[in-house]
Amino acid sequence: PVPRSEFRNYLSSGYRDDLARDILAGMTAEQKCIPSRYFYDARGSQLFEEICRLPEYYQTRLELSILHGACGAIMESFGKGDLVELGPGTDLKASKLIDAAPEPEGEGICYIPVDVSESALAAATEGLLRRYPRLRVLGIVGDFTRDLGYIPARGKKLVTFFGGTIGNFTDPAAQRMLRSVAGVMGEDDRFVVGLDMVKPVPVLEAAYNDAAGVTAAFNKNILAVVNRELGADFDPGRFEHRAGFNRDEERIEMHLVASAAMAVGIPALDLHVAFERGETILTEISRKFTRESAGRLFSAAGLTVERWFSDPKEWFALAEVSR
Ligand code: AVJ
């Protein structure tokens, strides 16, 4: 019998090299920074799952309810083919889509999740294989900002990028990412992107400053990643979590603020980093969109918004785009 699932690993095993390069650049920059992709080690991924369940963090629940209303229309046009999911967290969103497909049991669909973590891919696919006896799976272990060329070019494709993660990219990086997706799309293919929208500032800021302190722990965990991987001696207890909305840039900016002057050693880089009291490390930007700014984002990458799905208050949206 033909196996229903296969995993292909395209990771250049360069995680620590990438981190070393990014930390060297980030710790010697005017505004110190650590790229947000390094949040997601095992503990960071667990904390993120916890964030998704927080009362203040509306994004995850809203996106799922919007998808619930949109999946019929999306899957009616798609029919069958390759369902590519960039950075799947859980199998929840893929299930919604496969449930709404015209044919039952995953017939005619090959689910292709792309993620740097093989264990995350296994977790996202196991349940789907059990639930849909005719579904096929091709897991791509790789970085979706680099490795989209490994997605097989055949038949029809529906690509999804949920969670609002596109907002973590600066405009040039988002353009690169969207263009590389456009590069694997055919004319009839569609790309569904989750976007967090501009909304009253107190709502935005509460989502990144939760009362239980989970986001603060998530933010500080990035220092533990650098300590473990590069032998650094950051003391997470001497940094404070700060997140606020930058109105001019229309984005949440998340920082770690040094609560005292200190020096941090990073042996793997042969580097000593001096911090003044109050100095910050920028750890994340999370852009918030309007329909207009989202339209500009896609059109600059050569993509066209075909359909727009959102909640009544337009706090979150799913844009369905074509090339
Ligand atoms: C999953 C990247 C969209 O930017 O809101 C949650 C990550 N950071 N709380 C976001 C995050 C702080 C999240 N994304």
Side-chain angles (χ1 to χ4, degrees):
V2 182
R4 288 170 58 217
S5 87
E6 181 192 338
F7 288 79
R8 298 184 189 157
N9 194 324
Y10 298 103
L11 270 192
S12 47
S13 71
Y15 178 80
R16 191 179 276 107
D17 294 345
D18 287 357
L19 179 69
R21 190 181 5 84
D22 289 340
I23 295 300
L24 180 59
M27 287 303 121
T28 54
E30 175 75 2
Q31 165 67 67
K32 294 181 170 75
C33 60
I34 301 177
S36 55
R37 55 183 288 232
Y38 299 110
F39 278 129
Y40 301 94
D41 67 342
R43 170 143 175 81
S45 301
Q46 192 187 319
L47 287 166
F48 178 66
E49 293 293 309
E50 224 175 293
I51 287 173
C52 292
R53 291 190 297 268
L54 292 169
E56 297 96 333
Y57 199 78
Y58 55 86
Q59 284 100 309
T60 315
R61 288 180 296 273
L62 258 187
E63 182 176 54
L64 200 63
S65 79
I66 295 164
L67 183 62
H68 185 75
C71 58
I74 293 169
M75 294 306 280
E76 192 189 345
S77 333
F78 172 60
K80 56 172 139 178
D82 289 333
L83 173 60
V84 180
E85 183 167 15
L86 309 180
T90 63
D91 62 7
L92 227 58
K93 287 156 270 181
S95 298
K96 275 244 178 292
L97 290 169
I98 300 166
D99 279 340
E103 292 187 48
E105 301 190 339
E107 175 72 46
I109 298 179
C110 181
Y111 176 61
I112 308 185
V114 184
D115 201 285
V116 288
S117 154
E118 186 152 12
S119 61
L121 289 186
T125 56
E126 259 169 46
L128 294 177
L129 283 164
R130 221 174 305 120
R131 184 155 170 200
Y132 306 103
R134 312 200 69 82
L135 182 74
R136 283 165 302 130
V137 168
L138 171 61
I140 305 238
V141 187
D143 179 340
F144 57 65
T145 65
R146 266 201 289 249
D147 298 326
L148 297 188
Y150 296 115
I151 295 168
R154 58 179 190 204
K156 203 165 171 177
K157 261 195 291 304
L158 173 64
V159 184
T160 64
F161 189 29
F162 292 118
T165 304
I166 191 75
N168 289 155
F169 296 100
T170 59
D171 206 51
Q175 291 303 324
R176 277 196 296 278
M177 156 91 198
L178 293 176
R179 280 171 189 280
S180 79
V181 176
V184 301
M185 287 171 71
E187 287 207 349
D188 294 332
D189 293 342
R190 291 293 180 271
F191 180 29
V192 174
V193 185
L195 299 166
D196 196 22
M197 304 294 282
V198 172
K199 60 182 64 59
V201 174
V203 179
L204 281 172
E205 292 191 333
Y208 294 84
N209 292 283
D210 63 280
V214 184
T215 307
F218 174 73
N219 196 5
K220 290 178 193 183
N221 178 62
I222 209 166
L223 298 178
V225 172
V226 179
N227 285 349
R228 184 180 60 239
E229 298 294 333
L230 302 179
D233 61 358
F234 279 104
D235 177 358
R238 292 212 287 171
F239 285 87
E240 265 154 44
H241 167 72
R242 179 195 293 164
F245 188 59
N246 179 331
R247 289 168 197 262
D248 294 329
E249 302 283 348
E250 297 193 320
R251 65 191 197 190
I252 288 282
E253 294 173 357
M254 208 157 80
H255 293 264
L256 289 164
V257 186
S259 52
M262 69 184 106
V264 175
I266 311 180
L269 301 178
D270 207 4
L271 189 70
H272 281 270
V273 188
F275 283 87
E276 290 169 27
R277 176 192 157 93
E279 192 176 351
T280 76
I281 305 171
L282 176 65
T283 51
E284 185 173 64
I285 63 162
S286 191
R287 295 163 70 193
K288 308 302 167 191
F289 297 91
T290 61
R291 266 184 98 132
E292 294 69 38
S293 68
R296 287 196 297 274
L297 172 81
F298 291 118
S299 67
L303 295 163
T304 309
V305 178
E306 297 285 347
R307 287 189 285 199
W308 180 266
F309 305 98
S310 71
D311 57 296
K313 287 194 281 196
E314 210 158 271
W315 275 13
F316 199 92
L318 292 175
E320 186 186 23
V321 308
S322 63
R323 27 158 272 236

